[in-house]
Amino acid sequence: KAWIYGNRYLDTTETRNNAEITFDYFYSLGYSYNAICAILGNMQQESGVNPAIWQNLTIQVSNGYGLVQWTPSTKYTDWATQNGYPIVDGSYQLLWIDTVLDSDGHWIQRQGYNITWSDFIVSTQSVAYLTEAFYWNFENPNDSTLPQRIAYAEAWYQYFQNYTPSDPVNPPIGEDRTGLKIWEMIRYRRRWL
C-alpha cells in the first residue's frame, strides 16, 4: 500500500487508504485501537489524512501542513529536512508523531486531560475522551471542530473493528546497520526501556 497525497482534498477511498497505512503503522508500535482512532479523527479534520496538504491549499510557511497541520509548517518541515526526509512522505510524519511529539513541549497536558503521551498511546479510555485529549493536548486549535473530530474518530473505530492490520509502510531509508526497519527499532526500543 502506498500513500496517496497532493495539495488537494482526497476522496473517501484515498482517505481510507491513508488511514489504513496510519493504523498499520501505529498498531505495529503497540498503540491501542482507541488511541489510533482518536488520532485519525483529528487527522481527518486537520488534513483529510493527507500528508501533503497545505492549510487552505495555500503553500505558505506560516500555514499548517501535513497530516496534523503543523503550524507553522516548519514545526515539521525543518525536522524532516534536517533528517533528510521528504516532507510529503506520510510515514515520516507518523515517525515524528511517535518519536518527537512527546518532546519540546508539543504534548501539553491541559486541565481535564491530564494524560501523558506514553499513557495516551496505550489507553483504552473511550475514543471520545482520547480524541478530546489529542485535540487539547496537542492540536489545541482555535476552532469549534471537536464534535466533528469525535464523530470522525468514532467512525474510524467502527471501520477498524473487523480490519486485519498488515505490515506498516516503512520510510524509504528506514534501515540502519542492524538491518532493522525504523518501526522495528522503535518497537524494540520501547520494549527494553
Side-chain angles (χ1 to χ4, degrees), residues 114-132:
N114 193 20
I115 185 171
T116 66
W117 175 246
S118 297
D119 289 338
F120 171 89
I121 66 176
V122 295
S123 179
T124 56
Q125 292 191 56
S126 75
V127 171
Y129 172 81
L130 293 175
T131 302
E132 291 180 49

Side-chain angles (χ1 to χ4, degrees), residues 95-109:
L95 178 66
W96 187 100
I97 291 168
D98 183 58
T99 61
V100 178
L101 190 145
D102 197 24
S103 64
D104 299 328
H106 296 291
W107 183 266
I108 300 170
Q109 296 177 53

Side-chain angles (χ1 to χ4, degrees), residues 4 8-18 48 50:
I4 299 170
R8 63 181 177 82
Y9 300 107
L10 302 181
D11 65 29
T12 302
T13 302
E14 294 171 323
T15 299
R16 284 183 181 153
N17 175 82
N18 290 354
N50 181 346

Side-chain angles (χ1 to χ4, degrees), residues 31-50:
Y31 283 45
S32 71
Y33 269 72
N34 295 15
I36 298 168
C37 294
I39 293 169
L40 279 168
N42 279 282
M43 279 184 184
Q44 186 167 357
Q45 179 63 40
E46 291 290 330
S47 68
V49 198
N50 181 346

